[in-house]
Amino acid sequence: MGAGAGFLAALIWATASGPALAQEEAAQRSIPDEYRWENVITDFDKDRLTRLDEAVALGNEEAAAADGVSYDDRLALKSVMDAKAVPVDDSHLLGWRGCRMIKVGGRFAGLAVYPFFDCRITVVDGFLFFEKRSGSQRMSGRLYQNDALSRILLAAPTYNDAPQRPYMSEADENTDPQIQNAVGLLNQLEDGRLRILFPWPALEASYTVLELRSLDNL
């Protein structure tokens, strides 16, 4: 087992046992620099993440004012956004899940709820690694420790069966919107679902939220 894999295995064990918050704080203090998202994220994506609350507030306002949105779609958004976050157990994240994207606000449709596709989280090179593996809009990238209640996803999108790409070293307002980085905040919810919030995507919304459910709960 490599050093990175050993570090992650120890971290998963720690967060899966004992008082979650205390274990998480101890794990945070022991994270090497190369595992810290702050040392990887671009300035553009860091700004988007910093303004996450602004994106959510604007998107919700735009969605509330949108015409032609079904009750079921509004309920789907409320269900995932109102759910309480609990301390993240990294071992709980691993495996396959059904996932659906909800695009909120912007000039697209105000609110759009997509079908469930396939997502999974595995361990790759010592990192938790997220993949959206079906549908036309896909993405993949590393999940980084953040705090007891969240992880940071730094991902790159792809389309259809195009090869996965690494998170880009540079990104700014001039980056092709079709391949712009995806920066997200992951929460584990008290009912077992996962939620990833993506502020200020390049296309179609003020924010998007990816809801992940166990395959037995679709």
Side-chain angles (χ1 to χ4, degrees):
M1 179 181 294
F7 166 76
L8 182 61
L11 184 58
I12 289 177
W13 179 88
T15 55
S17 61
L21 288 174
Q23 295 289 344
E24 178 69 22
E25 290 173 358
Q28 285 293 323
R29 290 193 295 270
S30 66
I31 296 174
D33 287 346
E34 62 267 28
Y35 288 88
R36 295 183 180 276
W37 63 268
E38 298 96 328
N39 297 332
V40 180
I41 194 170
T42 65
D43 288 342
F44 179 63
D45 288 342
K46 189 173 184 179
D47 176 69
R48 288 200 287 176
L49 192 61
T50 299
R51 297 187 295 119
L52 185 149
D53 288 345
E54 179 186 343
V56 170
L58 176 61
N60 289 345
E61 181 179 331
E62 292 168 331
D67 295 327
V69 178
S70 72
Y71 173 79
D72 286 345
D73 284 356
R74 294 192 187 278
L75 186 62
L77 176 63
K78 178 177 175 58
S79 171
V80 69
M81 292 301 292
D82 287 356
K84 180 182 177 181
V86 298
V88 178
D89 173 358
D90 286 327
S91 63
H92 174 77
L93 306 184
L94 298 173
W96 286 92
R97 291 176 183 263
C99 56
R100 65 177 174 181
M101 188 70 76
I102 303 175
K103 299 184 178 182
V104 188
R107 293 178 291 179
F108 181 58
L111 179 62
V113 180
Y114 288 76
F116 280 94
F117 293 105
D118 296 327
C119 290
R120 71 174 179 179
I121 297 175
T122 55
V123 178
V124 177
D125 296 330
F127 286 86
L128 290 171
F129 190 76
F130 169 84
E131 301 171 276
K132 182 178 182 293
R133 294 182 59 87
S134 64
S136 60
Q137 296 179 330
R138 306 183 189 185
M139 73 174 75
S140 59
R142 290 173 171 176
L143 283 160
Y144 293 82
Q145 301 293 312
N146 186 44
D147 57 31
L149 294 177
S150 65
R151 302 291 180 261
I152 300 296
L153 173 63
L154 301 181
T158 53
Y159 287 84
N160 297 313
D161 294 322
Q164 292 180 350
R165 301 184 300 109
Y167 178 80
M168 293 182 292
S169 60
E170 296 294 338
D172 59 29
E173 293 88 343
N174 297 319
T175 299
D176 179 350
Q178 297 292 337
I179 60 170
Q180 190 179 80
N181 292 339
V183 55
L185 181 77
L186 179 146
N187 298 118
Q188 180 178 329
L189 306 179
E190 61 181 349
D191 60 9
R193 290 179 295 168
L194 306 178
R195 176 180 65 210
I196 308 179
L197 294 173
F198 299 92
W200 310 111
L203 297 172
E204 302 175 341
S206 292
Y207 76 93
T208 60
V209 53
L210 189 67
E211 175 191 10
L212 296 93
R213 297 186 181 186
S214 69
L215 298 179
D216 295 331
N217 194 31
L218 295 180

